[in-house]
Amino acid sequence: RSGEMAKLTQLIDNEVFRAYATYAAIVLLKMMLMSLVTSYFRVTRKAFANPEDTASFGKGDSAKKFLRTDSDVERVRRGHLNDLENIVPFFGIGLLYALSGPDLSTALLHFRIFTGARILHTFAYLIPLPQPGRALSWAVGYAVTISMAYKVLSKALYL
Amino acid sequence: RSGEMAKLTQLIDNEVFRAYATYAAIVLLKMMLMSLVTSYFRVTRKAFANPEDTASFGKGDSAKKFLRTDSDVERVRRGHLNDLENIVPFFGIGLLYALSGPDLSTALLHFRIFTGARILHTFAYLIPLPQPGRALSWAVGYAVTISMAYKVLSKALYL
Amino acid sequence: RSGEMAKLTQLIDNEVFRAYATYAAIVLLKMMLMSLVTSYFRVTRKAFANPEDTASFGKGDSAKKFLRTDSDVERVRRGHLNDLENIVPFFGIGLLYALSGPDLSTALLHFRIFTGARILHTFAYLIPLPQPGRALSWAVGYAVTISMAYKVLSKALYL
């Protein structure tokens, strides 16, 4: 079976695939970070969604008042959901794109711009920056994903 | 390294994988379209989630009144979330399925039915169509994904 | 083209990849199950989000009262969203990890612990268990994904 393993290793040795793996892991980790930011704001703002999460604050009404929404928590959650809506298509379409044989330099350009745009988007959402900061960073990431999808469909189309 | 690239190209040259790449790209693009539909309804219904998004409508109370939920916006957002909940499993299980060596015609049948069902589901949600239109289109996509998961587990099971 | 198909079949014959495919399919199916649990609670609690879903209960106010949120339904929906936030990164980073040539036993350890943690997390959310039951099961799954991301980046890094 070492022959098969060698073949798998070749995939991860391919430079385009390595670049994809690197940037895909970075944006997925960035998305995961939103969970920690949400927890941080839930604890510091004392704003929870589940009764069992407030049990340590006492019983009855003294704990119940922490079952509430907080504008900072909701902001992070919107940013997290926006990541899911945009990073999932990047991961999926990016994988197909990386397997469709693009030039290394073109692929790197796509991956780097998307990753930069999504990191900017997170800062624009959490600081928050005035519009159109968040809208533009969102649109750049969106356009990169469309561009990769175009390449995938023009290369692989089989309906 | 051109040898490795050739091997990657072979993956995208495989007909089952090309069919998977095509339909996966289509449903991911369809899911991305929901972002644009949400933006369209937010702007036309003047219903925003972030204070910075309403700044162009003036300051203070004149802008604050656009920080509200709108039933059309919420409907699109529910459709978008439903896409995430269903298209993500299709993408993941479909990738494993495409690599598990299915017949081309069986694979095409799965991919086409899922894609058709999800497009119908979007129309059923946005128009909206009377039930059970949306429920049935959802169930068909769900059943296709379960069918592919069954094939993956019966072929690859390694616990 | 049978030669290409053979190569694809080799991927699914690789033991690490088979283990990945098995556990990825299991956690994606577990995530899909949340849709059925949500439907079950919506029907038994008579709490719906769309007017067309309540049409079978009659017209006007008699149906409108079922357009409401219910704490059990919202709990399942939070569990479902938490799955999306955590199982999507596992699927993506886990795929890259499986292709990065890990030891079979190390890979199995990662996949098994993540899958066990997420199943526990679902029970902790739905029963619900007192904290820190849910928090710990969440943290274990999170840590496993970080560990795989570290391996991917240390093996594949290409910025």
Side-chain angles (χ1 to χ4, degrees):
Chain A
R1 281 179 184 275
S2 60
E4 284 156 15
M5 189 63 88
K7 259 170 212 121
L8 279 187
T9 310
Q10 284 170 357
L11 192 59
I12 205 74
D13 282 350
N14 174 279
E15 283 172 331
V16 167
F17 197 80
R18 279 178 59 196
Y20 168 72
T22 300
Y23 288 99
I26 289 172
V27 290
L28 288 172
L29 287 169
K30 191 224 77 57
M31 186 169 85
M32 289 175 71
L33 192 61
M34 302 304 271
S35 296
L36 296 183
V37 181
T38 301
S39 297
Y40 170 79
F41 278 111
R42 282 204 183 282
V43 169
T44 55
R45 268 62 172 171
K46 289 196 170 59
F48 298 91
N50 298 292
E52 66 270 26
D53 303 350
T54 64
S56 61
F57 297 114
K59 298 214 170 202
D61 289 345
S62 61
K64 225 176 212 172
K65 69 176 178 225
F66 302 123
L67 279 180
R68 57 186 190 87
T69 57
D70 171 86
S71 65
D72 289 328
V73 172
E74 295 307 305
R75 178 176 286 278
V76 185
R77 293 182 69 222
R78 287 195 298 274
H80 200 166
L81 187 58
N82 194 280
D83 271 355
L84 272 171
E85 293 169 357
N86 290 278
I87 290 175
V88 164
F90 170 81
F91 178 84
I93 290 171
L95 174 67
L96 304 171
Y97 171 77
L99 296 174
S100 73
D103 290 338
L104 176 61
S105 58
T106 314
L108 277 169
L109 195 67
H110 281 81
F111 301 155
R112 285 170 181 162
I113 293 176
F114 181 88
T115 304
R118 291 309 301 182
I119 291 172
L120 272 178
H121 183 271
T122 301
F123 281 107
Y125 222 140
L126 296 189
I127 292 179
L129 295 181
Q131 288 283 25
R134 197 182 84 236
L136 282 180
S137 60
W138 172 84
V140 168
Y142 197 87
V144 167
T145 309
I146 298 283
S147 168
M148 295 192 303
Y150 177 79
K151 174 70 159 66
V152 169
L153 288 176
S154 61
K155 188 87 205 302
L157 194 67
Y158 193 102
L159 285 164
Chain B
R1 283 183 180 272
S2 61
E4 285 155 16
M5 189 63 90
K7 258 170 214 123
L8 278 186
T9 311
Q10 284 170 356
L11 192 60
I12 206 74
D13 282 349
N14 174 279
E15 283 172 333
V16 168
F17 197 82
R18 280 177 59 195
Y20 167 71
T22 300
Y23 288 99
I26 288 171
V27 290
L28 287 172
L29 287 170
K30 193 225 75 58
M31 185 169 84
M32 290 176 70
L33 192 60
M34 303 303 272
S35 297
L36 296 183
V37 181
T38 302
S39 297
Y40 171 79
F41 278 111
R42 283 205 182 280
V43 169
T44 56
R45 268 60 170 171
K46 290 196 170 58
F48 299 91
N50 298 291
E52 66 270 26
D53 302 352
T54 65
S56 62
F57 296 113
K59 299 215 169 201
D61 289 345
S62 60
K64 227 176 211 171
K65 70 177 178 225
F66 301 124
L67 280 180
R68 58 188 189 87
T69 57
D70 171 87
S71 65
D72 290 328
V73 172
E74 296 307 306
R75 177 176 285 278
V76 185
R77 293 182 68 221
R78 287 194 298 274
H80 199 165
L81 187 58
N82 195 280
D83 271 355
L84 272 171
E85 292 169 358
N86 290 278
I87 289 175
V88 164
F90 169 80
F91 178 83
I93 290 170
L95 174 66
L96 304 172
Y97 171 76
L99 296 173
S100 72
D103 289 338
L104 176 60
S105 59
T106 315
L108 277 170
L109 195 68
H110 281 82
F111 302 155
R112 285 171 181 159
I113 292 175
F114 181 88
T115 303
R118 291 309 301 182
I119 291 172
L120 272 178
H121 182 271
T122 301
F123 280 107
Y125 222 141
L126 296 189
I127 292 178
L129 295 181
Q131 289 283 25
R134 197 182 84 237
L136 282 180
S137 59
W138 172 84
V140 169
Y142 197 87
V144 167
T145 309
I146 298 282
S147 168
M148 296 192 303
Y150 176 79
K151 175 69 160 67
V152 168
L153 288 176
S154 60
K155 188 84 205 304
L157 194 67
Y158 193 101
L159 285 166
Chain C
R1 281 183 182 272
S2 60
E4 286 155 17
M5 189 63 89
K7 261 173 212 117
L8 278 186
T9 310
Q10 282 170 358
L11 191 59
I12 207 74
D13 282 349
N14 173 279
E15 283 172 334
V16 168
F17 197 81
R18 279 178 59 197
Y20 168 72
T22 300
Y23 288 99
I26 289 171
V27 290
L28 288 172
L29 287 170
K30 192 224 75 60
M31 185 169 85
M32 289 175 72
L33 192 60
M34 302 303 272
S35 297
L36 295 184
V37 180
T38 302
S39 298
Y40 170 79
F41 279 111
R42 283 204 182 282
V43 168
T44 55
R45 269 61 171 170
K46 290 196 171 58
F48 298 91
N50 299 291
E52 66 268 27
D53 303 351
T54 65
S56 61
F57 297 112
K59 299 216 171 201
D61 289 343
S62 60
K64 225 176 213 171
K65 69 177 179 227
F66 301 124
L67 279 180
R68 58 187 190 87
T69 57
D70 171 86
S71 64
D72 290 328
V73 172
E74 296 307 306
R75 178 176 285 279
V76 185
R77 292 182 68 223
R78 287 195 298 274
H80 199 167
L81 187 58
N82 194 280
D83 271 355
L84 272 170
E85 293 169 357
N86 290 278
I87 289 175
V88 165
F90 170 80
F91 178 84
I93 290 170
L95 174 67
L96 304 172
Y97 171 76
L99 297 174
S100 72
D103 290 338
L104 177 60
S105 58
T106 315
L108 277 170
L109 196 68
H110 281 82
F111 302 156
R112 285 170 182 162
I113 293 176
F114 181 87
T115 303
R118 292 309 301 182
I119 291 171
L120 272 178
H121 182 271
T122 301
F123 281 107
Y125 222 141
L126 296 189
I127 292 178
L129 296 180
Q131 287 285 24
R134 197 182 85 237
L136 283 179
S137 60
W138 173 85
V140 168
Y142 198 86
V144 167
T145 309
I146 299 284
S147 167
M148 296 193 302
Y150 176 79
K151 174 71 160 68
V152 169
L153 288 176
S154 61
K155 187 86 207 301
L157 195 68
Y158 193 103
L159 286 165

